[in-house]
Amino acid sequence: MRDAEFFRRWMAAAAAAVEREADRLTELDSPIGDADHGSNLLRGFTAVRAALEAEPVPAAPGAVLQLAGRTLISTVGGASGPLYGTLLRHTGKALGESAQVSDAELREALSEGVGAVARLGGAAPGDKTMLDALVPGVAALGTSYRAAGSAAEDGALATVPMRARKGRASYLGERSVGHQDPGATSSALLLGALADVAEPAGAR
């Protein structure tokens, strides 16, 4: 079972991953976006970490994710804030007020969060968006957290030959082919951070 402290550690690990990879995310965003994905997410997850450190950890896992989602929406510009905020808020809402949640409950809640992202962006797997990492990543949670992280990374890499059909990159048409989607890449970081917290390397 996973408690609120586990989810706080997940958000802290995600913030550390974004901080580590912010420049790379911006480099990926430069040819097909606004060259601000890394800086936007860095600002947002830094604010999430600060918000969770500024007060006692909420009693429920769902409350941790809802706080993180609200913080991202209020601090991140562009599409990233609403999309990541929607993912975390809807996942948190699906978890409810339980003080502890099972891995199966988290998997189901994340599926609901991903569905909310799809509805908000009007996107589907294959459109060269964050869903190309989130959908296979969450599906692989049924195997293990490490499998989820690996599936999300593979999904991000699979966006390279795709033509973007949604988002800023879609305006480029065929010129979007050959570039890895930054949103899918950052989504893989989020699920990779979850794996790091749930299955630490030294515990394997």
Side-chain angles (χ1 to χ4, degrees):
M1 300 295 284
R2 310 292 182 175
D3 62 8
E5 174 60 23
F6 171 85
F7 285 81
R8 188 200 64 77
R9 293 199 308 272
W10 174 23
M11 291 297 100
V18 168
E19 182 175 12
R20 185 177 64 245
E21 298 291 335
D23 289 346
R24 175 170 171 255
L25 293 175
T26 292
E27 287 173 8
L28 291 174
D29 195 35
S30 182
I32 60 174
D34 295 323
D36 60 1
H37 189 63
S39 57
N40 280 344
L41 282 189
L42 178 59
R43 181 171 61 254
F45 275 96
T46 298
V48 167
R49 182 161 50 190
L52 290 171
E53 290 174 351
E55 58 184 82
V57 177
V64 173
L65 295 187
Q66 290 192 67
L67 172 59
R70 290 194 304 271
T71 302
L72 288 172
I73 289 173
S74 66
T75 58
V76 179
S80 299
L83 290 168
Y84 273 100
T86 293
L87 172 66
L88 296 179
R89 286 182 66 193
H90 279 260
T91 299
K93 185 176 180 181
L95 290 174
E97 299 180 0
S98 299
Q100 293 190 323
V101 299
S102 68
D103 291 341
E105 288 169 333
L106 174 54
R107 182 170 69 249
E108 178 147 349
L110 276 168
S111 294
E112 293 195 27
V114 171
V117 169
R119 292 190 296 275
L120 177 63
D127 285 342
K128 200 182 182 90
T129 71
M130 61 195 296
L131 292 176
D132 290 302
L134 288 174
V135 170
V138 172
L141 277 172
T143 301
S144 71
Y145 286 97
R146 284 291 163 198
S150 295
E153 287 182 15
D154 290 344
L157 289 171
T159 64
V160 173
M162 293 178 182
R163 174 176 174 167
R165 292 197 288 261
K166 294 292 179 180
R168 173 71 177 78
S170 66
Y171 302 150
L172 298 176
E174 288 296 334
R175 286 180 294 156
S176 65
V177 174
H179 300 283
Q180 185 169 324
D181 183 68
T185 305
S186 58
S187 294
L189 291 178
L190 182 68
L191 292 183
L194 176 59
D196 287 342
V197 173
E199 300 176 9
R204 300 206 310 273

